[in-house]
Each structure stands twice: as structure tokens, then as C-alpha cells.
Amino acid sequence: MKEFNAVIKIIGINPYVSVPGKILRVIFKEANKDKGPIPVRGFVNGSPYTQTLMKFKGEWRLYINTGMLKDSPRRIGETIKLSVEFDPRKRTVPVHPGFITALKSNKEAAAVFAGLSPSRQNEIVRYIANLKTEGSIQRNILKAVLFLSGKSRFAGRDKP
């Protein structure tokens, strides 16, 4: 695991840190790639995190969310201590059985879902998987199916 200190910056509404080039080269070698999202893990100020290293606007960024660092949006300009390494573990989120059933009963929505990019499919699956109550899960499964049928928005997205 490689350690470094970094200043929290912001782009749009997203806090992030820049990972030093020397460390990036090690991660690229371990991941066997230097394009697309790269799964990483490490520690921020001593607390463990799991995250994805992303290239945006020509710069590799490690986004710092509130799960990694409490009140991170309010800590812009603060220097934090980080460690990072490539995370080879698979990161799959199981599809909620209710969502599978809903797609089976709505062929139109299922066809649109199958035609989405894998990242958009994962976005919908993760959104539903991270809901806490069964009531909110069922409401959002219905919203997702309506979205996929072209009848409404879902999770801040316009119709597909």
C-alpha cells in the first residue's frame, strides 16, 4: 500500500484528491490497465475505504465521499493522509429479486434495461440495493420500471 498526503479539492460538487504520478504508475501496473475506472482500497486518516479511481477532465482523481471522510464537502483545502492500492476483488452487487420479477413481468422495461450500458445497469441495481426499507425498495422498483418504460424519471435521470 502506497501512502501520501493530499489536499482535498473540489470539481463541481465532488471532493477529490489527486494521486501522485508515481503511485498511479504502480496502480496501473497492478491493475494491468491505465484506462477506465480502477478499483482501489486503502485508508484515509486511518479509516479504511473502498473506492474507484477515475480519470476526469484529463486527471486521475480519487473522489472523497462522506462514507470515506465525514463532512468531506466541508473540508475542501484540508490536507489528509491517505494510503491506496489496487483492489483486485470483484465488486458485484446482487440484483434485488423484486427487480428481477418486475423486469420479467414487463418485457418493454426488460428490453430497455438489457440495452443500457453496463455502468447504467449497475447504477440502477446499486441504487435499489442500497435502499434500507422494503417499502422504499418496492416504490423504487416501480419507479425504475416506469423509467425504463419511458414514462418517468428515475434517480435524477431523464427517460432513457
Side-chain angles (χ1 to χ4, degrees), residues 99-130:
F99 187 53
I100 294 170
T101 302
L103 289 177
K104 284 181 181 176
S105 66
N106 187 320
K107 301 297 181 201
E108 178 188 4
V112 171
F113 184 76
L116 294 175
S117 67
S119 64
R120 286 290 292 274
Q121 289 178 2
N122 285 335
E123 181 180 329
I124 293 169
V125 168
R126 269 194 314 267
Y127 185 90
I128 292 168
N130 287 324

Side-chain angles (χ1 to χ4, degrees), residues 4 12 30-31 36 53 68-69 114 123 134-136 138 140 159:
F4 65 102
E30 291 172 350
L53 193 58
M68 292 169 67
L69 186 65
E123 181 180 329
E134 193 57 37
S136 65
Q138 294 309 316
N140 281 279
K159 301 171 195 172

Side-chain angles (χ1 to χ4, degrees), residues 17 20 28 125:
V17 296
F28 295 158
V125 168

Side-chain angles (χ1 to χ4, degrees), residues 27-43:
I27 291 171
F28 295 158
K29 185 175 181 182
E30 291 172 350
N32 200 28
K33 69 178 194 170
D34 62 359
K35 291 181 173 51
I38 299 176
V40 294
R41 62 184 172 204
F43 294 88

Side-chain angles (χ1 to χ4, degrees), residues 21 24 48 53 58 62 70 74 94 97 99 103 113 118 128-129 133 143 154 157 160:
L24 284 173
L53 193 58
L62 179 61
K70 188 177 181 205
R74 295 190 199 118
F99 187 53
L103 289 177
F113 184 76
I128 292 168
T133 67
K143 288 179 184 179
F154 178 70
R157 298 249 185 211

